[in-house]
């Protein structure tokens, strides 16, 4: 790599610190404003180029209480976890700055360097593209991402290695590398050239200039944060509403037949999910009172409570609204086990948020691609996603609402908002139709179950799970 030293003149440190703190507080104070942003700094580079020292100095020049640093040794990318999963809880909220000293690029380098023969260039480039797509989604959600690479020549690296206390050398054997090995050094530099074209390169030769260069680049970023991206609403062609949503099946499954099938299918579903080596996500959407809760109860009937996690999704909390839309779902996956069930999901953005105006037209139109990438990242990493839409007729919904009001232990399930939402029934059907058209993918297809019979719905849900798991 030909190091590109940015042009920054050395400044008085006290003045630089004052400017940094003022910019830091201006960012922090903007968190409740319409144009609030956050800053995510990804730091990587050659070992002993001064990454840690520069970050440490930055923290001293800023108010350290409001600069979060995540510093981890690189880890190999996992075949059963998306590259972003171990980092998403550290994505900054609006008004915050986070430095990831160790990030998904560090993990990519570690994986490629430890097994370069097996890790093809095409695979490396595919990961880079996925990472850039993820970062672009962050930017669209007001997280300004900057990437800084600290470079150091081979000759200077060897001199610094000579000066390292032997007791500390284990900290510098990162990426599985022997930094005395010129071939490995060259290989790392070759890999870095495949992704650092959009990075800020800092020459680590001059320690004082290195630290100031990093700090002044952060200052420049804070002082010139771009406005939220201006996007144009798409010309939208409303999808056709599936016939089954307009006229749900009216057939009724006999109770004895239901019991026999239920017993067999709950056992089969439990065994299938338990024995499958992949993670399983079951995502429920549908009309109010369509039977999501009853279906979930039957799914877990023969599972041990320690084998699964159920997330019931309501309106986002205030602290969640300050982060990218998918953030609260990323982190629920991190906390979950092998089997995760969502009662309402990330599709709220293109359903209730679209209809109620909680998301702008640009935001919900953009969300389809964001969601598809999110699901693709998961299914690429040993995860099965079963997406189920439960539909009933409007008359059946009214009947169930009234039944809930009259049943003591079900009254908590019905609210004035539920009745109010019925006025927007047609809008929900239109939003659902668009959702199916935009997000019914080969890797994560939708299973639409439209019936006014709750017994039939539960049986079809279990069958859909088995189908998605490729179990006969």
């Amino acid at each position: 790599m030909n190091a590109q030293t940015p042009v920054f003149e050395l400044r008085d440190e006290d003045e630089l610190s004052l400017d940094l703190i003022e910019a830091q507080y201006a960012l922090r104070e903007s968190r409740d404003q319409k144009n609030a942003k956050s800053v995510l700094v990804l730091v990587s580079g050659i070992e002993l180029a001064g990454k840690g020292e520069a970050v440490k100095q930055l923290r001293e020049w800023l108010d350290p209480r409001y600069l979060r640093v995540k510093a981890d040794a690189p880890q190999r990318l996992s075949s059963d976890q998306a590259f972003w999963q171990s980092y998403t809880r550290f994505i900054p909220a609006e008004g915050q700055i986070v430095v990831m000293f160790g990030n998904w690029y560090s993990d990519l380098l570690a994986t490629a360097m430890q097994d370069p023969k097996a890790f093809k260039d095409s695979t490396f480039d595919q990961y880079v593209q996925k990472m850039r797509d993820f970062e672009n989604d962050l930017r669209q959600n007001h997280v300004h991402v900057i990437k800084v690479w600290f470079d150091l020549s081979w000759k200077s690296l060897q001199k610094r290695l000579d000066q390292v206390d032997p007791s500390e050398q284990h900290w510098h054997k990162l990426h599985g590398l022997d930094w005395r090995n010129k071939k490995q050094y060259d290989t790392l530099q070759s890999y870095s050239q495949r992704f650092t074209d959009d990075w800020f390169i800092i020459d680590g030769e001059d320690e004082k200039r290195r630290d100031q260069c990093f700090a002044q680049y952060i200052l420049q970023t804070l002082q010139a944060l771009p406005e939220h991206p201006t996007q144009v609403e798409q010309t939208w062609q409303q999808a056709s509403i599936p016939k089954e949503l307009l006229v749900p099946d009216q057939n009724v499954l006999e109770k004895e037949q239901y019991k026999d099938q239920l017993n067999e299918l709950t056992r089969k579903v439990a065994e299938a999910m338990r024995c499958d080596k992949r993670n399983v996500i079951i995502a429920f959407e549908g009309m109010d009172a369509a039977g999501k809760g009853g279906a979930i109860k039957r799914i877990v009937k023969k599972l041990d409570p320690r084998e699964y996690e159920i997330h019931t999704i309501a309106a986002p909390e205030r602290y969640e609204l300050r982060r990218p839309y998918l953030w609260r779902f990323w982190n629920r996956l991190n906390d979950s086990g092998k089997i995760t069930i969502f009662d309402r999901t990330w599709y709220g953005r293109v359903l209730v948020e679209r209809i109620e105006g909680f998301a702008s037209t640009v935001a919900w139109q953009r969300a389809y691609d964001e969601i598809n990438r999110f699901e693709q990242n998961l299914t690429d990493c040993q995860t099965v996603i079963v997406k189920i839409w439960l539909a009933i007729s409007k008359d059946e919904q009214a009947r169930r609402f009234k039944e809930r009001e009259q049943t003591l232990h079900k009254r908590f399930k019905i609210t004035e908002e539920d009745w109010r939402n019925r006025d927007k029934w047609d809008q929900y059907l239109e939003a659902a139709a668009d959702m199916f058209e935009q997000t019914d993918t080969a890797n994560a297809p939708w299973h639409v179950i439209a019936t006014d019979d709750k017994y039939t719905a539960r049986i079809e849900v279990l069958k859909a799970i088995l189908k998605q798991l490729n179990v006969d």
Side-chain angles (χ1 to χ4, degrees):
M1 177 187 300
N2 295 319
Q4 304 167 32
T5 305
V7 180
F8 281 120
E9 297 296 328
L10 291 178
R11 293 186 51 189
D12 177 82
E13 292 187 6
D14 290 338
E15 291 181 358
L16 176 59
S17 177
L18 178 60
D19 287 346
L20 280 164
I21 291 173
E22 288 180 347
Q24 180 186 22
Y25 271 75
L27 177 70
R28 178 174 168 77
E29 290 167 4
S30 75
R31 63 188 182 276
D32 292 319
Q33 299 173 12
K34 186 176 180 180
N35 203 37
K37 306 179 192 69
S38 62
V39 175
L40 175 62
V41 185
L42 305 183
V43 171
S44 194
I46 300 300
E47 189 62 14
L48 294 181
K51 302 183 293 293
E53 291 83 352
V55 171
K56 180 181 178 182
Q57 183 60 70
L58 177 69
R59 209 168 198 172
E60 292 179 4
W61 282 334
L62 285 165
D63 186 331
R65 297 173 299 170
Y66 304 126
L67 175 65
R68 187 173 189 182
V69 177
K70 175 175 170 56
D72 291 310
Q75 55 189 341
R76 292 196 62 163
L77 294 170
S78 172
S79 62
D80 60 0
Q81 187 180 64
F83 66 86
W84 41 259
Q85 279 189 256
S86 60
Y87 296 101
T88 52
R89 67 177 68 250
F90 301 98
I91 299 297
E94 291 174 339
Q96 294 181 341
I97 309 172
V98 171
V99 176
M100 284 190 182
F101 181 24
N103 48 72
W104 39 86
Y105 289 99
S106 307
D107 297 345
L108 177 60
L109 285 171
T111 307
M113 290 300 299
Q114 288 176 27
D115 197 0
K117 292 183 179 179
F119 207 79
K120 299 178 181 178
D121 285 350
S122 59
T123 303
F124 189 96
D125 293 341
Q126 288 170 5
Y127 267 109
V128 170
Q129 187 58 54
K130 288 180 182 180
M131 291 171 180
R132 287 178 172 176
D133 289 342
F134 178 71
E135 292 156 16
N136 186 59
D137 285 342
L138 290 178
R139 293 187 183 97
Q140 299 287 2
N141 284 272
H142 312 155
V143 180
H144 188 70
V145 182
I146 61 173
K147 297 176 282 189
V148 183
W149 179 271
F150 286 79
D151 195 43
L152 191 65
S153 69
W154 168 256
K155 184 176 180 180
S156 295
L157 171 60
Q158 299 312 300
K159 287 183 178 178
R160 292 186 185 180
L161 283 171
D162 291 338
Q163 298 169 0
V164 173
D165 188 302
S167 66
E168 297 181 2
Q169 287 188 6
H170 70 283
W171 288 108
H172 301 288
K173 194 170 184 179
L174 303 179
H175 310 307
L177 279 183
D178 176 1
W179 290 95
R180 295 291 192 182
N181 186 316
K182 181 67 161 57
K183 183 178 179 180
Q184 289 187 338
Y185 171 88
D186 290 341
T187 300
L188 179 67
Q189 290 283 35
S190 177
Y191 273 128
S192 70
Q193 291 175 4
R194 304 183 76 89
F195 67 83
T196 54
D197 53 297
D198 62 343
W199 287 57
F200 194 70
I201 311 298
I202 293 179
D203 189 340
E205 300 286 343
D206 184 325
E207 297 179 9
K208 186 173 183 179
R209 182 170 291 278
R210 171 202 67 205
D211 294 349
Q212 281 230 4
C213 187
F214 180 56
Q216 290 191 49
Y217 180 54
I218 300 299
L219 175 61
Q220 182 185 77
T221 299
L222 293 173
Q223 291 177 334
L225 284 174
E227 296 296 312
H228 289 175
T230 300
Q231 298 169 307
V232 179
E233 295 179 12
Q234 301 177 35
T235 301
W236 199 255
Q237 182 65 44
Q238 174 63 52
S240 298
I241 299 173
K243 292 181 179 179
E244 58 266 37
L245 297 191
L246 297 171
V247 186
D249 187 8
Q250 298 300 311
N251 292 324
V252 176
L253 186 65
E254 294 297 328
K255 191 169 185 178
E256 288 306 314
Q257 187 180 9
Y258 162 71
K259 287 182 177 180
D260 291 341
Q261 292 189 45
L262 183 68
N263 186 58
E264 178 186 358
L265 289 172
T266 52
R267 175 188 57 79
K268 205 169 183 178
V269 165
E271 290 179 355
M273 292 194 293
R274 185 178 291 127
C275 296
D276 200 301
K277 294 181 180 179
R278 298 168 294 180
N279 298 317
V280 179
I281 296 173
I282 303 174
F284 277 96
E285 288 289 354
M287 292 302 190
D288 292 333
K292 295 181 292 296
I296 291 170
K297 186 176 180 180
R298 273 71 189 180
I299 291 170
V300 303
K301 184 176 179 64
K302 296 187 178 178
L303 289 171
D304 187 288
R306 293 168 293 185
E307 293 182 289
Y308 63 87
E309 187 78 30
I310 300 174
H311 297 292
T312 302
I313 303 303
E317 301 290 344
R318 184 179 177 86
Y319 73 94
E320 293 172 328
L321 290 171
R322 287 177 170 165
R323 290 179 167 86
Y325 170 68
L326 287 171
W327 183 83
R328 61 184 180 138
F329 302 104
W330 295 333
N331 291 322
R332 280 174 169 84
L333 291 177
N334 290 342
D335 292 336
S336 300
K338 182 176 180 295
I339 302 169
T340 310
I341 302 172
F342 284 91
D343 180 356
R344 300 293 186 189
T345 70
W346 40 94
Y347 284 98
R349 170 132 297 191
V350 298
L351 294 169
V352 63
E353 292 192 20
R354 164 185 172 173
I355 293 164
E356 299 294 340
F358 299 144
S360 68
T361 301
V362 168
W364 66 255
Q365 288 179 344
R366 186 183 70 230
Y368 296 116
D369 287 338
E370 294 177 353
I371 288 169
N372 285 338
R373 280 190 288 272
F374 164 59
E375 293 178 351
Q376 184 70 60
N377 286 166
L378 293 173
T379 57
D380 284 345
C381 295
Q382 301 298 308
T383 297
V384 180
I385 302 176
V386 188
K387 301 188 300 194
I388 297 173
W389 177 274
L390 292 179
I392 53 177
S393 67
K394 195 172 185 180
D395 288 343
E396 176 62 15
Q397 186 190 63
R399 188 192 69 77
R400 294 186 185 186
F401 277 6
K402 291 176 182 176
E403 180 185 33
R404 287 180 175 184
E405 288 181 331
Q406 296 166 5
T407 305
L408 188 61
H409 67 277
K410 291 185 178 181
R411 288 180 182 174
F412 71 94
K413 291 185 175 183
I414 186 73
T415 66
E416 287 298 323
E417 185 176 351
D418 294 325
W419 285 107
R420 184 180 63 82
N421 287 342
R422 281 174 56 78
D423 294 335
K424 299 183 179 180
W425 181 274
D426 291 341
Q427 291 175 255
Y428 275 97
L429 291 182
E430 291 175 353
D434 284 340
M435 180 186 72
F436 298 144
E437 183 174 88
Q438 298 289 330
T439 65
D440 184 46
T441 59
N443 61 295
W446 276 100
H447 300 270
V448 179
I449 299 171
T451 174
D452 280 350
D453 180 48
K454 63 182 179 181
Y455 292 158
T456 299
R458 293 167 186 171
I459 295 301
E460 291 303 313
V461 165
L462 296 170
K463 288 180 178 178
I465 295 170
L466 293 173
K467 181 180 179 180
Q468 194 73 19
L469 294 173
N470 296 318
V471 176
D472 297 328

